[in-house]
Amino acid sequence: MVTTTPRATMPGAVYPMSKSSRVDSVDFISPLQQDVNRLCDTLLSLIESNVSAEHLSDLENVRSLAKIYDTSFKDDAAFADLANLIESFNLQQLTVVSSLFSNMCNLANLAEHVHRIRRRKAFERGEGSLFTHHFLHEIVSELEKNGKSLNDIRDQLCTQTVEMVLTAHPTQAVRRSLLSKLHSIAHCIEANHDQYLTPQEEQSNEDQLRASLLSLWRTDEVRRSKPKPEDEARNILHVIEDTVWDATPLYLSRMDRFLKLKGLEPLPLEARPFIFGSWAGGDRDGNPFVTPAVTKEVVAINRYRASCLYLAEIEDLLFDLSLHYGTQELLDYNAKVAAEVDAANKAQPELAMTDKIRYKEFWNYVPPTEPFRVCFHHIRDRMTATRDHCEALLANRPPPPVNRATPIYTSMNDFLEPLLIMYRSLHETGDGIIAEGKLKDLIRRVHIFGLTIVKLDIRQEADEHTNALNVITEYVGMPRYDSLDEEARISFLTSILEGKRPLLPRSLPATGKAKNVLDTFETVSEVGSEALGAYIISMCMRPSDVLAVEVLQRECSRDGGARSLRVVPLLETIKALQDSTVVLSSLFENSWYREHLRTRYDSVQEVMVGYSDSGKDGGRLTSAWELYKAQEQMVACAEKHGIRLRFFHGRGGTVGRGGGPQHLAILSQPPGTVNQYLRVTIQGEVMEQDFGLPELALKTLETYTTAVLKADLTPGVEVKDEYRKLLDSMSEISCTKYRAIVHGDPRFVQYFRSATPEQELGLLNIGSRPQKRKEGGVETLRAIPWVFAWTQTRLHLPVWLGLGSALQSGLKMEGGPQLLREMYDNWPFFRSFLNLIEMVLAKADPHISSRYDDILVMEEEQKQFGDMLRGLLVETIDLVLKVSGEQKLLDKDRVQQRAINTRREWLTPMNLAQVELLKRWRSMSVKGVVKDGVSPEEAGTCVDALIISMKGLSSALQNTG
C-alpha cells in the first residue's frame, strides 16, 4: 500500500503544486503490479472450489511457461513447450484456460485504469510526477508564455465545443453484465490504497472484492444473442448515466474555479464545452435492423431516460431550495403558471393531476410561501408527464391525454425558462452561493444534454437515396434519376429545391428499400432537430449526393423542410478525399445551397472524414496523408466562398481506423481545421477507456478541452515543401505496395480467411449490423472486422502494410534520413503518425502470427505468403526505429511500455488457445454449420471457448476494431 503524508491545501486549490515541491521518490510502479498479482491470486483462490485440481495445475503450468517465454526474449524452446501443453488440452481445459486469462486481461486493464487515477491524484497533491498529463492550468500557462492573454483564453473556452458521438460500432467485446462487476472491483482496488480505512472498512472492502471477483467468474462471458439497435442505444445511455452525467457539471465547476483564481469571470451558463450525440438506432448504413420504427423507439428511450434523470435532480432541488422569499420576477412567474393551471383544470377537470403519492417529497402539499418550491413543483409535474408520455410510447400504449395544466416538455428552452428565473432570483437577493450549486449544475446539464441526453444522428449510404429517387422519377414518368450525368442531376435537384411544386406524389406505391428511405425522412420530419443531430451521407462521392438528401428531406416533410437536419457528407475513401474540394466547390457555387447554408446554418458546413475505409482502401500512411491534405484544401475552399467549415472525425478505436490518444490526435490536425468545434466518434471499447470510471470521465473531458484550446490558440507548424514532396512520394509507394498485396495478390483473400478468425467473428454477437455491406471480397468487408481479425493474430497488418516500403524509399533518398528525422522532431502530424504506428508494432508478435499459419494454413504457397508478410513486419519495425532514433519500440513512451508489459503474460496463452480452438472448430463445421456426427454439446463448448479467447485478446490489446 502506498502511504502519503497529508498536507494543507489552499481553499479551492485543485491543481498540482510546483515541480520543485514534488516527491519523485514515491514508488508508483510497484502498486500496479501488486494489484494485478493480488487480483490473480484472489481469483485463483476463489475458483478452487469449482475447478478440479487437475485444471488448477494446468493453469499454473500455463502461467509458469508463459512467464518463461515472455522473460526469455521469446525463446523458441519455451514457446514450443507452452504450445505443446495447450495443444494437449481437451475442450474443457481450453475453456478454463481461456476464461481465466480473459478475465485477467480485463482485470489488468482495470488495475491500469485505477493506477492512472491514483497517479493523477498523487500528482495533483504534489507527490511524484506524471509522464503524460494535460491539466488546464498547465496548458493555460503555456499559452500565456506564448503571448496569449487570459481574456483571449477565456473567450476561447467560452465558445469552443467538443461533441462526442457515441456509436453503435461493434467493438466492445465485453458484456455490460461483466463491465458492471469490473467497475465494482475498480472501486475496491482504489479503496484498498486509502490509508485512512479502519480495520472493519478494510475487511468490508476485501469481502466486496472477493464477492465481485467470484460473481465475475460465475457470469457467462458469451453473448447468447445479437444485440438489437435498441439495446445498443440503452448501452450508450448507461455510459452517460454512470459517469458523464455527474462528471460534466463537476468539471465545468472546476473550470469556473480556475478562471476565478485567475481573476476572470466564470463560464457563462449557456456555454457548451461538451455535447453528446449517438448513432445507435440512427445508423442504418448497411444495417437492415435500423428501421424508422426503431429510430422512433430509440428517441422515446432517450427522452424517457432523460426525464428520469431530470426528475431525480428536480426532487433534490425541490427539497433543498426552501427559501421563503424571491424576486418579483419569480413571484410573477409562479402566479402566471398558477393561473394557467387553474384555467386548464377548469377546462379539463377530468385530467386534473391527483396521483402524486409516488413523489419523493411534497407529494401532497407545497407551502405557497416558498416560491422556489412552488416553481419546482410545477416543473416536476411537467417532467413527470413527459416521462409518462414516453413510457406509454415504449409500452405500445396510447399516450395519456394532453393535459394543458402540465404539458409535456418538447423544447429545451421551455424547461430552461423557470430555472434561469430562479437562478437570477437567488443572485439578486444575495444568495448567489446557493445558485452556484445544484441549480447551476442542472441548468448546465440542460444546455449540454437537452431533453434526450444525446442527439441521434441519421446515417444512410448515398446509393440508397439514388435508388429512392429512381423509384420517384420512374413513377412520375421522368427519366430514371441514375441515368442522368452529374451536371444534369445537379440541375434537376436544384430546380426542385428552387421551385414550390412537389416532386413526390402522396400516392407513390414505394416498397422495399425505397419505402424504408422515404419513411425515414418522414420520421426525421416528425421527430425534429430537438432530438436529432445530423443526417450523414456515407460513401458520398459527388455534390448531387448532398442535394438529393435536401430534396428528399423537403419532399417528405410535413412543414416544407422547417424541421430538416443539417446534411453532412462523409468522405471515406481515398478518391472521395482527393475529390473533396470539387464536391464542396460545386455545392458552395450553387445559389440555392449557398443561401440555404446562410439562412439555416449561419454559413457553416460540416464535413465528416472517415479514417476506417480510407485506411482499408489505401493503407494507413496514404489514408493519414490524404486526410491531412484534404482537410487543408477543404478549409481553403470554404474560406474562398465565405463558408466556415467544421469537421466530424470518424475515428475508430484502433490506429488502423484512426484511433489513438485524443490529445495527440487533435494537436496533429492541420492548422486552422479545429475552429472552436470538434466533433468526433467514440466507439466500442473506447467508451469504457474514456468514461468507464468517474475519474476517467473527468480526465477525458479535460483532455479534450485542453487539446482544442491549444490547437486553436497555438500557431501551426510550417509544413515545408520538402516535407510534402517526400510524403507525396512515400504515400504513393506505400499505397502501391498495400494494394498490390491486398487487392492484387491472388493468395491474399484465402490467406486472410485461413490465418485469421475473420470467418468466426460473427459468433461474438457484439453488434446488431452484419459484417459486410453486401457479398464480396475484402472490399465489401467492414473496416471493423477487417482490423479485428488481424489484431487477434498479432500481425496488425492494416496498420503498417506499405509503410516499410515507403520509409525505405525515403531513407535511400539523398538527405532522406536527415529529412525524415527533422519531420519526426518538428512536425506534430508526422511524429503523431509514427508514434501511433510504433505503439501497435510493439503489440505485434511474428512468433505468435506464425503459429496461426503452422496450424491453420494448409497450402505451402499460403504459408510462404505469411512468411513474406512477417518479413515485411520485421523490416518495418527496423525502419521505424531508424527514423525515431530509438533502440527498441516505445523507448520514449514508458506508460505504453508498462501497459503492454502488464498484460504480456496473459496474451500468449490466449493466442495459442485460440489457434487450437480455431483448428478444432473448423474440423467440426463447414461455413459455421456443425457437421453430421459432431455432438451439439461438443460444438457448443468449442464455440464458447473460442469466443472467450477472442474477447480476452481484444481486451488485452485494447484495440478491438
Side-chain angles (χ1 to χ4, degrees):
M1 181 183 296
V2 176
T3 58
T4 58
T5 303
R7 63 178 178 82
T9 56
M10 293 175 58
V14 292
Y15 294 100
M17 298 168 63
S18 64
K19 289 185 179 179
S20 61
S21 67
R22 296 178 191 145
V23 184
D24 290 321
S25 60
V26 177
D27 178 12
F28 287 104
I29 303 301
S30 297
L32 171 60
Q33 194 58 54
Q34 290 167 5
D35 283 343
V36 174
N37 292 340
R38 181 184 179 213
L39 289 168
C40 182
D41 293 341
T42 305
L43 182 58
L44 282 172
S45 71
L46 287 167
I47 65 177
E48 282 181 359
S49 60
N50 52 70
V51 173
S52 69
E54 181 185 0
H55 284 180
L56 279 175
S57 176
D58 293 336
L59 292 174
E60 290 295 347
N61 288 337
V62 170
R63 279 188 72 190
S64 176
L65 288 171
K67 282 186 178 180
I68 293 171
Y69 170 67
D70 285 318
T71 57
S72 63
F73 303 101
K74 307 213 181 302
D75 178 75
D76 286 343
F79 184 82
D81 289 343
L82 181 58
N84 291 334
L85 175 63
I86 289 177
E87 190 176 18
S88 70
F89 287 166
N90 60 36
L91 285 175
Q92 285 73 27
Q93 290 171 303
L94 287 170
T95 301
V96 172
V97 168
S98 297
S99 189
L100 174 70
F101 284 73
S102 173
N103 275 304
M104 279 313 305
C105 287
N106 286 323
L107 292 170
N109 288 344
L110 201 68
E112 175 78 17
H113 290 161
V114 173
H115 178 72
R116 291 185 181 186
I117 291 169
R118 190 166 59 238
R119 287 287 307 272
R120 185 179 175 89
K121 286 182 176 179
F123 180 68
E124 290 179 357
R125 292 193 301 266
E127 302 158 4
S129 59
L130 283 175
F131 296 125
T132 57
H133 46 89
H134 313 290
F135 289 109
L136 177 61
H137 81 289
E138 291 184 327
I139 301 301
V140 169
S141 177
E142 182 182 332
L143 291 171
E144 282 187 279
K145 289 177 183 176
N146 291 334
K148 293 296 178 184
S149 72
L150 284 172
N151 285 325
D152 288 340
I153 294 169
R154 181 189 177 274
D155 289 345
Q156 169 74 22
L157 289 171
C158 290
T159 54
Q160 72 178 38
T161 296
V162 176
E163 182 170 3
M164 290 169 256
V165 182
L166 283 65
T167 76
H169 287 64
T171 65
Q172 175 50 276
V174 183
R175 295 179 62 204
R176 274 203 70 251
S177 297
L178 294 170
L179 288 175
S180 66
K181 292 165 182 62
L182 289 167
H183 294 164
S184 175
I185 293 166
H187 295 309
C188 293
I189 300 172
E190 193 169 4
N192 184 56
H193 292 271
D194 182 353
Q195 61 174 316
Y196 297 111
L197 287 183
T198 66
Q200 289 207 15
E201 288 172 332
E202 286 183 353
Q203 186 58 53
S204 177
N205 188 61
E206 176 67 18
D207 292 344
Q208 179 61 53
L209 175 64
R210 291 175 65 84
S212 297
L213 281 169
L214 183 58
S215 183
L216 181 75
W217 177 257
R218 291 289 200 178
T219 300
D220 191 357
E221 294 178 68
V222 179
R223 282 191 179 95
R224 298 299 170 183
S225 60
K226 289 181 75 70
K228 298 177 182 178
E230 304 94 303
D231 300 325
E232 294 169 329
R234 289 186 176 93
N235 289 341
I236 283 173
L237 293 178
H238 276 298
V239 172
I240 301 287
E241 292 174 24
D242 287 349
T243 61
V244 180
W245 180 259
D246 289 329
T248 304
L250 176 58
Y251 181 66
L252 293 185
S253 294
R254 292 183 179 182
M255 289 178 69
D256 283 348
R257 198 173 304 133
F258 170 73
L259 291 172
K260 288 177 182 177
L261 287 171
K262 288 289 186 178
L264 300 170
E265 288 294 314
L267 297 175
L269 283 177
E270 65 274 11
R272 298 202 299 170
F274 319 103
I275 52 178
F276 298 87
S278 171
W279 276 13
D283 180 8
R284 56 240 311 126
D285 175 18
N287 190 342
F289 305 110
V290 180
T291 64
V294 165
T295 297
K296 288 181 183 178
E297 181 175 353
V298 168
V299 169
I301 292 170
N302 294 345
R303 292 180 66 194
Y304 173 77
R305 297 277 279 272
S307 61
C308 291
L309 288 171
Y310 282 128
L311 276 170
E313 305 297 333
I314 291 165
E315 287 273 11
D316 282 350
L317 282 160
L318 179 60
F319 182 79
D320 286 351
L321 292 182
S322 54
L323 287 74
H324 60 86
Y325 54 85
T327 59
Q328 192 61 44
E329 180 189 24
L330 176 57
L331 299 176
D332 289 345
Y333 178 83
N334 286 345
K336 183 190 77 164
V337 168
E340 291 171 351
V341 169
D342 187 56
N345 285 337
K346 288 178 180 177
Q348 301 172 294
E350 72 285 359
L351 298 181
M353 191 172 181
T354 57
D355 180 22
K356 300 185 181 182
I357 197 167
R358 53 190 158 167
Y359 287 152
K360 175 181 171 185
E361 302 284 356
F362 301 102
W363 59 269
N364 189 38
Y365 175 75
V366 176
T369 56
E370 297 175 353
F372 292 91
R373 283 176 168 170
V374 169
C375 189
F376 267 116
H377 175 261
H378 183 65
I379 294 172
R380 180 177 63 173
D381 284 350
R382 290 192 63 182
M383 192 58 73
T384 300
T386 305
R387 181 197 62 191
D388 293 348
H389 176 87
C390 297
E391 188 175 28
L393 292 176
L394 293 172
N396 292 317
R397 300 194 310 263
V402 176
N403 187 343
R404 293 200 297 272
T406 56
I408 67 172
Y409 283 115
T410 58
S411 164
M412 181 181 80
N413 291 331
D414 200 14
F415 183 23
L416 277 171
E417 182 187 6
L419 302 180
L420 292 172
I421 289 172
M422 287 187 281
Y423 181 82
R424 288 194 295 269
S425 178
L426 288 168
H427 272 284
E428 290 171 18
T429 55
D431 301 312
I433 193 171
I434 299 175
E436 296 300 305
K438 291 181 181 179
L439 180 58
K440 187 175 188 177
D441 288 348
L442 177 56
I443 291 169
R444 282 183 158 163
R445 283 188 175 107
V446 178
H447 277 296
I448 289 168
F449 298 108
L451 295 178
T452 54
I453 303 180
V454 292
K455 285 201 171 189
L456 185 65
D457 281 356
I458 306 295
R459 184 170 78 134
Q460 183 58 280
E461 192 175 0
D463 285 350
E464 298 298 327
H465 306 134
T466 299
N467 177 58
L469 285 168
N470 285 339
V471 171
I472 296 170
T473 50
E474 281 189 316
Y475 182 76
V476 298
M478 301 175 70
R480 269 178 64 97
Y481 176 74
D482 63 3
S483 69
L484 305 176
D485 61 24
E486 180 61 14
E487 185 178 350
R489 288 187 186 189
I490 292 174
S491 177
F492 167 67
L493 296 168
T494 303
S495 66
I496 295 170
L497 291 166
E498 289 178 339
K500 295 185 178 180
R501 184 176 177 180
L503 169 69
L504 178 63
R506 295 300 174 192
S507 59
L508 177 71
T511 59
K513 291 185 176 181
K515 184 178 189 307
N516 191 292
V517 168
L518 297 176
D519 288 348
T520 295
F521 281 109
E522 286 189 6
T523 297
V524 166
S525 175
E526 179 183 338
V527 174
S529 58
E530 189 81 28
L532 302 178
Y535 194 104
I536 315 288
I537 310 169
S538 57
M539 290 298 166
C540 183
M541 305 296 289
R542 52 187 74 84
S544 62
D545 291 337
V546 176
L547 295 177
V549 172
E550 296 287 7
V551 165
L552 290 170
Q553 281 204 98
R554 197 178 79 170
E555 290 295 314
C556 297
S557 171
R558 301 178 180 183
D559 52 17
R563 289 158 65 86
S564 64
L565 307 181
R566 68 185 188 275
V567 179
V568 178
L570 167 51
L571 311 176
E572 51 188 331
T573 65
I574 300 297
K575 186 176 188 312
L577 291 168
Q578 292 171 339
D579 293 345
S580 58
T581 53
V582 175
V583 172
L584 291 186
S585 293
S586 179
L587 288 170
F588 297 156
E589 290 164 8
N590 182 288
S591 58
W592 179 88
Y593 191 78
R594 189 170 60 251
E595 182 64 13
H596 173 66
L597 282 183
R598 187 186 69 80
T599 56
R600 285 294 302 275
Y601 304 110
D602 195 25
S603 294
V604 173
Q605 172 70 58
E606 184 176 322
V607 174
M608 184 173 183
V609 287
Y611 293 70
S612 303
D613 284 287
S614 59
K616 187 161 74 77
D617 182 21
R620 188 73 248 139
L621 175 61
T622 299
S623 169
W625 182 226
E626 292 298 336
L627 279 160
Y628 189 95
K629 291 191 295 182
Q631 289 178 73
E632 283 185 318
Q633 293 160 5
M634 284 190 278
V635 166
C637 172
E639 288 177 349
K640 175 184 173 184
H641 292 90
I643 303 295
R644 192 152 50 99
L645 209 59
R646 288 177 170 175
F647 286 107
F648 180 10
H649 298 271
R651 297 181 181 274
T654 60
V655 174
R657 297 183 54 243
Q662 308 102 326
H663 206 271
L664 189 65
I666 295 166
L667 292 178
S668 63
Q669 295 300 312
T673 57
V674 176
N675 291 328
Q676 299 179 315
Y677 177 89
L678 178 76
R679 199 168 197 245
V680 62
T681 54
I682 309 287
Q683 301 182 9
E685 79 275 4
V686 180
M687 293 185 210
E688 178 66 14
Q689 293 164 17
D690 285 355
F691 303 118
L693 299 172
E695 289 292 337
L696 291 179
L698 287 168
K699 176 178 177 290
T700 296
L701 297 178
E702 183 157 48
T703 297
Y704 275 111
T705 297
T706 56
V708 172
L709 176 67
K710 188 173 180 179
D712 267 349
L713 296 186
T714 302
V717 174
E718 179 191 359
V719 184
K720 297 180 180 180
D721 287 342
E722 49 263 50
Y723 294 180
R724 294 181 182 276
K725 289 177 182 177
L726 180 56
L727 262 192
D728 281 337
S729 172
M730 288 170 57
S731 173
E732 185 177 350
I733 291 168
S734 176
C735 187
T736 300
K737 181 70 173 181
Y738 177 92
R739 287 177 171 172
I741 291 175
V742 173
H743 300 291
D745 196 308
R747 299 171 293 178
F748 183 82
V749 172
Q750 185 55 47
Y751 175 81
F752 173 53
R753 289 178 174 162
S754 298
T756 77
E758 181 261 336
Q759 297 177 85
E760 289 78 16
L761 292 181
L763 300 170
L764 282 169
N765 288 329
I766 60 174
S768 65
R769 72 182 188 180
Q771 283 182 226
K772 293 188 176 185
R773 285 187 168 97
K774 50 195 169 187
E775 286 304 311
V778 172
E779 69 282 354
T780 65
L781 187 69
R782 289 188 178 276
I784 290 171
W786 165 248
V787 174
F788 196 129
W790 290 111
T791 301
Q792 293 279 304
T793 69
R794 310 281 291 282
L795 192 60
H796 298 282
L797 179 135
V799 176
W800 56 264
L801 185 59
L803 176 62
S805 300
L807 290 176
Q808 197 168 55
S809 71
L811 289 167
K812 286 181 176 178
M813 291 175 53
E814 185 177 351
Q818 295 79 11
L819 185 57
L820 282 168
R821 187 54 190 266
E822 181 184 326
M823 290 163 62
Y824 181 77
D825 290 339
N826 300 329
W827 188 12
F829 163 75
F830 190 66
R831 183 170 62 253
S832 166
F833 168 79
L834 218 58
N835 286 348
L836 290 173
I837 298 293
E838 188 178 342
M839 179 187 72
V840 178
L841 292 175
K843 298 178 182 180
D845 190 328
H847 216 154
I848 295 291
S849 171
S850 67
R851 178 69 178 178
Y852 282 78
D853 286 13
D854 292 342
I855 303 300
L856 302 174
V857 177
M858 298 295 106
E859 298 178 15
E860 187 59 34
E861 187 180 18
Q862 298 282 329
K863 290 179 186 286
Q864 293 172 1
F865 183 73
D867 289 338
M868 180 268 291
L869 292 178
R870 282 183 290 278
L872 292 176
L873 168 61
V874 172
E875 178 185 71
T876 302
I877 292 173
D878 290 340
L879 293 166
V880 166
L881 290 174
K882 283 182 180 179
V883 175
S884 69
E886 296 173 312
Q887 294 298 310
K888 61 180 181 179
L889 295 170
L890 297 180
D891 267 353
K892 297 175 183 175
D893 192 343
R894 291 168 59 193
V895 174
Q896 280 296 335
Q897 269 189 351
R898 183 192 66 210
I900 293 172
N901 290 337
T902 301
R903 297 159 181 79
R904 195 178 298 279
E905 68 176 283
W906 316 107
L907 278 167
T908 303
M910 274 197 302
N911 276 119
L912 295 175
Q914 185 180 95
V915 171
E916 186 61 26
L917 289 162
L918 283 169
K919 181 186 76 172
R920 297 188 194 187
W921 170 244
R922 290 176 183 179
S923 71
M924 63 177 68
S925 66
V926 178
K927 294 184 177 180
V929 178
V930 179
K931 294 178 181 177
D932 292 339
V934 177
S935 73
E937 293 79 11
E938 182 184 13
T941 301
C942 186
V943 167
D944 284 357
L946 179 57
I947 289 171
I948 291 168
S949 75
M950 288 192 280
K951 288 173 177 286
L953 284 167
S954 67
S955 295
L957 295 165
Q958 295 190 304
N959 297 115
T960 313

